[in-house]
Amino acid sequence: MASNSDFVQYIADQCSQAGEIMTKKMFGDYGIYCNGKIFGLICDDRFYLKPIDAVRPMLRIVDMRPPYEGAKDYFYIADVDDRDYLSQLVRETCKALPDPKPKKKK
């Protein structure tokens, strides 16, 4: 089951205080980016955040599960209605992630 585009937009809006949020359709579901860094996935109308140790203490509930069959575990974020909370999680996750590699010119 793919994610509903309204849910994807809702998650993007909820994370928008963290920076420039963009979603990209990937394999039937979505990757979600902040300032060019992929920080999570939206699969089957569920929001998953990359598992960063620095973010773990900030989580209200630590729920690790794979976003799709065969994937590594991510933080599953069920509480998506608190915009400040989500934006803070995204900011801290992105601080810990490496900068994206520059795209090669063809």
Side-chain angles (χ1 to χ4, degrees), residues 3 12 16-17 19 21-22 28 65 70-71 77-78 85-87 90 95 98 104:
S3 292
S16 65
Q17 294 174 357
I21 303 297
M22 182 182 81
R65 50 174 97 167
I77 310 297
Y85 174 63
L86 282 189
S87 293
V90 171
K95 278 184 193 176
K104 294 180 182 177

Side-chain angles (χ1 to χ4, degrees), residues 59-91:
L59 295 172
R60 293 176 180 159
I61 297 171
V62 178
D63 184 356
M64 301 287 293
R65 50 174 97 167
Y68 54 89
E69 191 175 326
K72 293 181 181 181
D73 284 346
Y74 275 56
F75 293 134
Y76 168 62
I77 310 297
D79 183 6
V80 296
D81 296 324
D82 184 339
R83 180 180 295 231
D84 293 333
Y85 174 63
L86 282 189
S87 293
Q88 182 182 17
L89 292 177
V90 171
R91 267 193 304 276

Side-chain angles (χ1 to χ4, degrees), residues 5-41:
S5 61
D6 290 337
F7 180 78
V8 172
Q9 187 59 54
Y10 179 72
I11 297 298
D13 291 344
Q14 290 297 90
C15 298
S16 65
Q17 294 174 357
E20 184 181 333
I21 303 297
M22 182 182 81
T23 59
K24 205 183 254 187
K25 196 159 184 135
M26 306 168 86
F27 310 111
D29 278 301
Y30 293 83
I32 186 165
Y33 299 75
C34 180
N35 300 329
K37 293 181 182 183
I38 186 165
F39 65 87
L41 300 171

